[in-house]
Amino acid sequence: MKAMMTSDSPIPPIVIQKYGGSSVASLEKIEAIAQRVVARQAMGYGVVVVVSAMGDATDQLLQIAFQITPNPSARELDMLLSTGERATMALLSIAIQKYGAQSISFTGSQSGIITNDSHACARIIAVRPYRIQDELERGKIVIVAGFQGTSYRNEITTLGRGGSDMTAIALAGALNAEACEIYSDVDGVYSADPKVVLDAVKLDELSADAMLTMAQHGAKVLHDEAVAYALRHGIALYAKKSHQPDSTGTLIRPDGWPEHALKASKNRPTAVVTAKYILYLSARDVDITTCLARLTGIDGLKIIDCVCGHRQLELIADIWNCRDFSGIRAALLENSAPGSFCRDDVLNVTLTGIDIGRDPNGLHHALTCLKNDGITPVAIFCQPNAISFVVNSSDCSKASGILHELTR
Ligand code: ADP
Ligand code: ASP
Ligand code: MG
């Protein structure tokens, strides 16, 4: 279908496409994307493409820096990591030009992505995509390096691991795009990670609220902050598979848990997700204020769930953005009583669904099923729409399968 262009606007309807690391892992893949992007423009769209670093380039760059020193500065790491996306943007632009279209690549800074100055997990505070708009008006395809911006002090920042989704959604909002398509190696959002639970089913659509709960608990197919942004700004998102052009994918509607789901899912969870990268802390006989103050000193750590009692603290935290992990355990456990511990060899397996965490029956049933299969969770955390079981890493796929069965 050809897009409609209004007579008073020089820019056709805009589509934002974002391609993640696995989608641009080789030159063949980059060239295949270039051809598809050119075809999309020919259909009458203004196309902005946001790209991630090729394959596991970000991890490789991190490893190199840590070979030099165990504590590289956050600023220099941002300078280093932002180059991963910059390499992809230039290569894709070169490939697009080879296929006969005009294109230009921009860094986050050139794209007008303004952030605060929290290196490693900066927040976008403004988007001024003037150069992108100018180039779209000239008929060019614009390629943007994801995952990065610039602070008011003109420092290069990065948006946290998986942050290219955030670049795409922020540009979709600022450019008033007709669609924001996030391409990865799966053809949409599934009822569980399809690489872990082999009989997981693809969801044709779901609400941004439900997706947000899943993403916050580890469904990394979409970045949690990007979904939150889409919800706040009323932007529809599509999760699709990159090298399968006809994939219908999953539509994430920018609305809350729907009424019908509320009725249908009473006592019935709608999805299971798995989350890696957690740290579980159980501290006894500690000064809670001091312990929490130590947490604030750990760059990139995000609390997923936390219970504070009298001189007792239990929490699970997302440590995906913690670059310097050495010393965290020691710092957190300093001066705590025997019996306190801090583990990063565990995973968080979460069952999500409306009111699932408020229902003692649901919790009792899920726990019984896990125990019947020999899995005793290290800890359990309940939120209104999620129950998280902290299990040994080796039990992750088994626990995911057991909990996923409950959704069927
Ligand atoms: P990209 O690098 O393109 O951003 P990601 O690796 O961040 O892609 O996200 C895609 C991955 O998300 C899939 O390979 C899949 O293993 C994982 N994933 C986790 N939970 C889900 C889910 N519920 N549905 C689909 N994919 C999921
Ligand atoms: N390249 C970055 C990462 O690996 C950002 C992204 O892929 O979205 O986390
Ligand atoms: Mg991702």
Side-chain angles (χ1 to χ4, degrees):
M1 198 181 78
K2 217 164 171 82
M4 298 290 290
M5 202 189 313
T6 54
S7 54
D8 56 345
S9 159
I11 302 183
I14 294 172
V15 167
I16 312 285
Q17 298 191 334
K18 178 259 166 177
Y19 292 93
S22 57
S23 310
V24 291
S26 65
L27 286 185
E28 291 72 37
K29 288 182 172 183
I30 289 179
E31 289 212 25
I33 289 169
Q35 292 175 56
R36 283 180 49 207
V37 167
V38 172
R40 190 66 172 263
Q41 189 197 38
M43 290 167 77
Y45 288 96
V47 186
V48 177
V49 186
V50 175
V51 288
S52 293
M54 291 173 73
D56 55 4
T58 308
D59 289 325
Q60 285 176 15
L61 290 170
L62 270 172
Q63 267 177 23
I64 294 169
F66 278 87
Q67 273 171 28
I68 302 173
T69 165
N71 43 16
S73 81
R75 179 196 184 274
E76 299 309 331
L77 280 180
D78 274 0
M79 292 297 268
L80 177 69
L81 297 191
S82 63
T83 64
E85 272 67 12
R86 291 175 70 152
T88 320
M89 78 181 191
L91 292 171
L92 180 59
S93 188
I94 290 167
I96 288 172
Q97 290 167 10
K98 169 177 155 181
Y99 291 104
Q102 288 190 303
S103 64
I104 185 164
S105 64
F106 285 140
T107 64
S109 157
Q110 291 172 314
S111 307
I113 310 257
I114 316 291
T115 72
N116 64 12
D117 54 9
S118 301
H119 287 292
C121 45
R123 295 261 167 163
I124 296 178
I125 50 183
V127 184
R128 300 186 188 131
Y130 311 129
R131 292 195 65 185
I132 297 180
Q133 283 162 324
D134 286 349
E135 297 299 342
L136 286 172
E137 276 179 32
R138 293 190 181 110
K140 288 191 186 163
I141 294 169
V142 179
I143 322 299
V144 175
F147 172 61
Q148 56 190 275
T150 181
S151 75
Y152 272 116
R153 284 191 273 168
N154 218 8
E155 289 288 358
I156 300 299
T157 52
T158 62
L159 306 176
R161 299 304 306 264
S164 299
D165 293 358
M166 191 62 228
T167 307
I169 196 73
L171 286 177
L175 294 166
N176 200 16
E178 193 178 281
C180 183
E181 302 167 349
I182 307 287
Y183 289 91
S184 72
D185 59 350
V186 280
D187 61 343
V189 180
Y190 278 69
S191 56
D193 185 337
K195 288 184 183 156
V196 177
V197 178
L198 298 182
D199 59 353
V201 288
K202 185 171 87 68
L203 309 168
D204 291 333
E205 60 174 86
L206 78 163
S207 71
D209 245 352
M211 186 66 232
L212 181 58
T213 308
M214 290 173 69
Q216 283 169 336
H217 290 90
K220 70 168 184 153
V221 59
L222 289 171
H223 191 265
D224 57 350
E225 285 169 23
V227 178
Y229 192 99
L231 183 58
R232 276 200 308 280
H233 293 83
I235 303 165
L237 274 173
Y238 296 84
K240 295 186 174 193
K241 186 163 182 166
S242 8
H243 297 287
Q244 194 178 299
D246 299 333
S247 128
T248 51
T250 299
L251 162 65
I252 294 95
R253 297 182 317 268
D255 53 27
W257 297 91
E259 279 299 312
H260 67 82
L262 262 174
K263 285 189 199 111
S265 75
K266 270 275 173 217
N267 302 338
R268 193 171 68 84
T270 47
V272 180
V273 297
T274 56
K276 282 185 183 168
Y277 307 112
I278 69 149
L279 173 136
Y280 169 50
L281 170 73
S282 173
R284 308 221 175 123
D285 200 18
V286 286
D287 179 65
I288 294 186
T289 320
T290 314
C291 208
L292 290 175
R294 285 196 192 114
L295 286 172
T296 62
I298 301 170
D299 280 343
L301 182 139
K302 284 189 208 164
I303 292 179
I304 300 173
D305 224 324
C306 173
V307 183
C308 299
H310 175 64
R311 294 188 65 77
Q312 186 159 340
L313 180 67
E314 302 268 329
L315 68 82
I316 41 177
D318 180 336
I319 50 172
W320 198 21
N321 285 310
C322 293
R323 290 165 176 176
D324 178 15
F325 198 62
S326 57
I328 290 184
R329 202 176 290 108
L332 289 176
L333 292 177
E334 204 181 299
N335 298 331
S336 63
S340 302
F341 59 91
C342 189
R343 291 182 59 175
D344 59 356
D345 59 341
V346 286
L347 278 142
N348 199 19
V349 182
T350 301
L351 197 52
T352 65
I354 295 174
D355 280 348
I356 179 88
R358 295 183 203 267
D359 171 24
N361 284 328
L363 176 57
H364 174 251
H365 185 48
L367 184 58
T368 307
C369 292
L370 285 172
K371 284 191 163 174
N372 285 348
D373 268 311
I375 297 175
T376 303
V378 181
I380 302 171
F381 289 85
C382 287
Q383 294 176 352
N385 300 327
I387 308 175
S388 293
F389 297 92
V390 179
V391 299
N392 291 325
S393 310
S394 53
D395 285 333
C396 171
S397 53
K398 191 172 168 193
S400 301
I402 295 166
L403 295 177
H404 186 256
E405 271 303 303
L406 304 179
T407 69
R408 296 153 73 84

